């Protein structure tokens, strides 16, 4: 394992005043499938049959801005994210000659949200593999953030011959929350909790976890992307899809299989990340043991056979958003060595 430590170049800024009104008159309202929220590049539709249903998987296919280098990067979004959240990363990659495929997974954002679906990381990986086969892509860099890191890991385990290399950005699932003492919660309880979602709760959580206490006005776009789906007729189906996928990530740990990865892997971690699914349900003494990414990162990197570990001392769960230049310099430095 190679480990790199990137020193901080940024300092925290003063937090702006935040209105207490949860739904101001000018707050955006998006449709059940994020209708009304514009993505930075054209969306394409992949029609697939899965579990006896006709579904639509929406994705961006962004060509290199400069001379193509012949490589493709597939981006897998996190649970509270969408393909659009990768905007700055897509720009950085395509400027360096990479083709980028960024799908919304089934159940998320602009893709189909079936009421009845057996969600599994295996199923989402299979859906993504079918998309890549449809695009005649049989060898790609698979890159995932947050829940997308769990999914990218599962994809690389299922399809090692189609995975040129693997990039994991603050992946959840570096620990088994249930085994550490987080109690199981039913899908119905996740659903009831999800229906109470609000922009202010989302902002508070993102500030603490994604951005290490820092806040910038440009982060509001990602709060509203998520909150806007809960302000209109999409509240119910989005809360239900989120509940089903919470159960998926809680009950399908990948932490026991990092030793089995066969491809070169880059693990990138913000040391201030504290993500742990179900943390608030656990006793206080258990909560104190969860989400220590500054410890989990090097531990997991040491188990991955061909790993490089990069961590950011001052960043949180979303380093690609919080400090994009530093993040992309590190990412591209590693990718360019892999070609």
């Amino acid at each position: 394992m190679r480990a790199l430590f990137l020193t901080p170049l940024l300092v925290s800024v003063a937090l702006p005043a935040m209105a207490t009104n949860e739904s101001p008159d000018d707050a955006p309202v998006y449709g059940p499938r994020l209708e009304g929220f514009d993505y930075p590049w054209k969306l394409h539709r992949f029609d697939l049959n899965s579990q006896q249903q006709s579904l639509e998987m929406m994705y961006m296919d962004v060509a290199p801005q400069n001379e193509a280098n012949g490589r493709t990067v597939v981006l897998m979004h996190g649970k509270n994210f969408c393909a659009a959240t990768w905007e700055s990363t897509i720009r950085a990659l395509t400027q360096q000659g990479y083709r980028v495929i960024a799908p919304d997974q089934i159940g998320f954002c602009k893709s189909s949200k079936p009421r009845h679906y057996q969600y599994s990381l295996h199923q989402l990986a299979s859906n993504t593999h079918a998309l890549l086969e449809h695009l005649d892509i049989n060898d790609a860099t698979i890159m995932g953030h947050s829940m997308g890191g769990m999914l990218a890991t599962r994809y690389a385990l299922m399809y090692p011959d189609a995975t040129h290399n693997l990039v994991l950005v603050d992946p959840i699932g570096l620990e088994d929350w249930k085994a550490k003492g987080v109690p199981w919660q039913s899908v119905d309880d996740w659903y009831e909790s999800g229906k109470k979602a609000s922009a202010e709760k989302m902002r508070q959580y993102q500030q603490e976890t994604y951005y290490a206490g820092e806040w910038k006005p440009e982060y509001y776009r990602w709060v509203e992307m998520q909150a806007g789906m809960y302000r209109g007729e999409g509240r119910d189906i989005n809360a239900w899809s989120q509940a089903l996928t919470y159960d998926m990530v809680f009950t399908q740990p990948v932490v026991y299989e990092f030793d089995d990865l066969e491809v070169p892997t880059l693990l990138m971690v913000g040391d201030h990340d504290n993500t742990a699914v179900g943390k608030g349900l656990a006793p206080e003494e258990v909560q104190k043991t969860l989400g220590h990414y500054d410890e989990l990162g090097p531990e997991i990197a040491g188990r991955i056979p061909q790993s490089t570990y990069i961590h950011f001392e001052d960043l949180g769960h979303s380093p690609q958003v919080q400090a994009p230049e530093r993040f992309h310099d590190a990412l591209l430095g590693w990718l360019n060595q892999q070609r």
Side-chain angles (χ1 to χ4, degrees):
M1 179 190 76
R2 291 192 301 141
L4 298 175
F5 169 68
L6 299 204
T7 55
L9 298 178
L10 303 178
V11 295
S12 295
V13 297
L15 298 178
M18 181 69 184
T20 58
N21 187 353
E22 296 289 0
S23 299
D25 292 339
D26 60 350
V29 178
Y30 300 127
R33 286 176 57 177
L34 200 51
E35 292 91 343
F37 183 91
D38 293 331
Y39 275 32
W41 288 276
K42 179 182 177 180
L43 276 169
H44 304 269
R45 187 184 74 209
F46 173 53
D47 296 316
L48 72 157
N49 291 314
S50 178
Q51 300 182 20
Q52 300 187 352
Q53 300 178 73
S54 297
L55 302 175
E56 296 176 346
M57 191 172 182
M58 308 303 293
Y59 66 97
M60 291 180 285
D61 183 351
V62 188
Q65 295 184 40
N66 299 312
E67 183 179 355
N69 62 22
R71 302 297 314 154
T72 299
V73 179
V74 179
L75 300 177
M76 297 181 172
H77 62 78
K79 193 173 189 309
N80 296 325
F81 303 84
C82 298
T85 323
W86 285 113
E87 181 175 357
S88 66
T89 300
I90 294 172
R91 293 191 191 282
L93 289 168
T94 55
Q95 285 172 1
Q96 294 296 314
Y98 291 90
R99 177 187 180 184
V100 176
I101 309 297
D104 280 339
Q105 296 296 328
I106 295 297
F108 294 88
C109 307
K110 290 185 177 288
S111 290
S112 295
K113 295 171 181 171
R115 188 78 187 179
H116 301 286
Y117 199 68
Q118 186 178 9
Y119 282 97
S120 69
L121 295 172
H122 291 79
Q123 179 68 72
L124 298 186
S126 176
N127 295 347
T128 305
H129 189 61
L131 168 64
L132 297 183
E133 287 188 321
H134 169 73
L135 296 173
D136 292 323
I137 298 171
N138 55 26
D139 181 55
T141 293
I142 306 299
M143 179 172 173
H145 169 241
S146 192
M147 180 203 75
M150 291 185 78
L151 177 57
T153 300
R154 178 57 60 206
Y155 186 98
L157 290 166
M158 291 174 66
Y159 307 107
D161 292 340
T163 305
H164 185 74
N165 45 31
L166 177 66
V167 180
L168 306 176
V169 183
D170 284 82
I172 61 173
L174 298 185
E175 57 189 341
D176 185 339
W177 307 294
K178 178 179 177 295
K180 284 193 169 184
V182 176
W184 174 83
Q185 180 172 240
S186 72
V187 169
D188 292 319
D189 286 340
W190 281 119
Y191 170 64
E192 291 301 322
S193 176
K195 287 194 296 183
K196 300 173 184 177
S198 71
E200 174 61 5
K201 290 179 181 178
M202 293 173 186
R203 186 200 66 82
Q204 291 175 351
Y205 176 75
Q206 290 187 20
Q207 178 182 319
E208 176 187 352
T209 300
Y210 296 1
Y211 309 120
E214 182 181 80
W215 191 260
K216 297 178 181 178
E218 56 262 37
Y219 300 158
Y220 280 114
R221 180 171 185 238
W222 308 123
V223 172
E224 295 300 342
M225 177 187 71
Q226 185 182 4
M229 290 186 289
Y230 286 83
R231 294 193 180 107
E233 61 178 342
R235 172 179 288 270
D236 180 75
I237 190 57
N238 279 283
W240 183 245
S241 294
Q242 287 289 298
L244 293 174
T245 50
Y246 266 124
D247 187 73
M248 174 185 73
V249 300
F250 186 79
T251 60
Q252 299 176 31
V254 296
V255 64
Y256 304 109
E257 298 175 76
F258 285 112
D259 312 67
D260 299 328
L261 287 170
E262 300 176 6
V263 299
T265 300
L266 172 63
L267 176 59
M268 309 180 78
V269 165
D271 284 349
H272 285 281
D273 192 353
N274 56 19
T275 308
V277 171
K279 184 177 180 178
L281 304 172
E284 185 176 353
E285 62 271 19
V286 173
Q287 292 186 32
K288 294 177 181 177
T289 70
L290 302 172
H292 296 286
Y293 273 64
D294 56 336
E295 300 172 1
L296 293 168
E299 176 188 338
I300 296 301
R303 289 176 42 201
I304 299 173
Q306 303 176 63
S307 70
T308 299
Y309 178 58
I310 294 176
H311 67 113
F312 306 89
E313 182 185 46
D314 58 325
L315 303 183
H317 185 63
S318 297
Q320 75 277 26
V321 177
Q322 190 181 2
E325 290 186 7
R326 231 185 330 149
F327 175 84
H328 294 128
D329 282 347
L331 169 66
L332 290 165
W334 186 81
L335 287 177
N336 291 336
Q337 291 175 0
Q338 295 291 310
R339 285 191 272 163

